[in-house]
Amino acid sequence: MIKYLFLDFDNTILDFTKAESIAIRKTMRAYGLEPTDELARRYSAINDWHWKALERGELTKPEVVTRRFAVFFGEQGIDVDEKAVAKTYETFLSQGHWFLPGAEKAVKEELFGKYRLFLASNGTPVVQHGRMTSAGLYPYFEQSFISEEIGHSKPHPAMIHKAMADAGVTDPRQAVVFGDSITADIAAARNAGVDSILYTNGADAPDGHGADYVAHNFEEALRLILG
């Protein structure tokens, strides 16, 4: 029986793709670069590569946070203080929120009060705490586990083990990790010996995803969780 839910944040509850696009456009303008859709997509690709490198253990978190901007602005021939850019970007990213379809109702009306809810995110504290506050989610989650504060990032099993220990989980069969990333959320759950639900936001789940269950939307997710 499910008792503990460890939910990812970005592109699981909130639309990170939209938030990222808005934040990087504001950051470009702040550093004298006129934002275009093409440049926004290019930053997203560079950013994604760096986070995947972190998951593979090829980069550290501080390297990811700053190096992505050195690469992006360097491609545009702009010399920047990458730490200053990172701070500017995180400030913009921490402001505002956009729920994915069905996510707000699922968390606040369907899951809250029935299950013990915890956030398990690979994001940075200033960004995730800001967006949690903006979205009014803190009353619904008992605790937030953010990789930079935990000292481990998904897919490292220590991220989930730490979260379960702090949550008081004594039987892993009562816990489920719910998230959109196969290489982070689903792999972390598998590495920690916990069941997982892959959230696809309407897309088809790729072969070999490794999740125990797949939810294409929050209606399917609720059916899986509530039974």
Side-chain angles (χ1 to χ4, degrees):
M1 182 181 71
I2 300 173
K3 183 176 180 181
Y4 307 88
L5 288 174
F6 296 92
L7 289 85
D8 178 51
F9 200 31
D10 294 326
N11 285 336
T12 298
I13 298 173
L14 296 187
D15 188 338
F16 180 77
T17 303
K18 182 174 182 176
E20 176 191 62
S21 179
I22 292 172
I24 191 58
R25 289 169 188 269
K26 289 180 178 179
T27 304
M28 286 186 223
R29 287 193 181 98
Y31 285 86
L33 185 62
E34 184 60 29
T36 63
D37 290 344
E38 182 180 359
L39 285 176
R41 287 192 294 270
R42 180 55 186 156
Y43 168 76
S44 183
I46 290 171
N47 183 54
D48 185 63
W49 184 92
H50 280 75
W51 283 104
K52 290 294 190 294
L54 174 67
E55 293 171 7
R56 296 190 298 267
E58 297 170 2
L59 294 174
T60 65
K61 181 67 174 297
E63 288 173 334
V64 170
V65 169
T66 58
R67 189 176 179 273
R68 54 187 173 170
F69 295 110
V71 172
F72 174 73
F73 281 98
E75 286 185 352
Q76 309 311 314
I78 299 176
D79 184 25
V80 296
D81 180 340
E82 56 198 56
K83 291 184 179 179
V85 177
K87 186 174 181 179
T88 299
Y89 172 75
E90 287 187 351
T91 298
F92 288 137
L93 190 58
S94 68
Q95 300 167 350
H97 64 276
W98 294 267
F99 281 100
L100 288 173
E104 183 175 19
K105 185 176 187 294
V107 171
K108 296 182 177 180
E109 299 179 23
E110 301 291 346
L111 299 176
F112 178 69
K114 300 182 180 71
Y115 302 91
R116 297 184 61 187
L117 305 182
F118 301 88
L119 183 76
S121 171
N122 268 0
T124 58
V126 64
V127 172
Q128 303 305 55
H129 289 310
R131 295 166 73 227
M132 283 282 286
T133 300
S134 174
L137 285 171
Y138 271 115
Y140 301 92
F141 286 82
E142 291 188 36
Q143 195 170 346
S144 58
F145 299 100
I146 299 173
S147 58
E148 193 168 306
E149 297 174 331
I150 296 297
H152 294 281
S153 299
K154 296 176 289 187
H156 198 294
M159 175 79 171
I160 303 302
H161 287 155
K162 169 66 174 173
M164 289 198 298
D166 285 6
V169 177
T170 56
D171 184 353
R173 293 173 297 180
Q174 294 181 327
V176 170
V177 172
F178 180 87
D180 71 297
S181 173
I182 293 171
T183 56
D185 306 309
I186 304 308
R190 184 172 61 250
N191 293 340
V194 181
D195 280 353
S196 61
I197 299 174
L198 174 64
Y199 170 69
T200 71
N201 194 23
D204 292 332
D207 294 337
H209 54 74
D212 295 282
Y213 307 96
V214 174
H216 296 88
N217 51 54
F218 271 90
E219 289 184 2
E220 290 185 6
L222 290 172
R223 286 197 293 271
L224 287 169
I225 295 167
L226 297 172

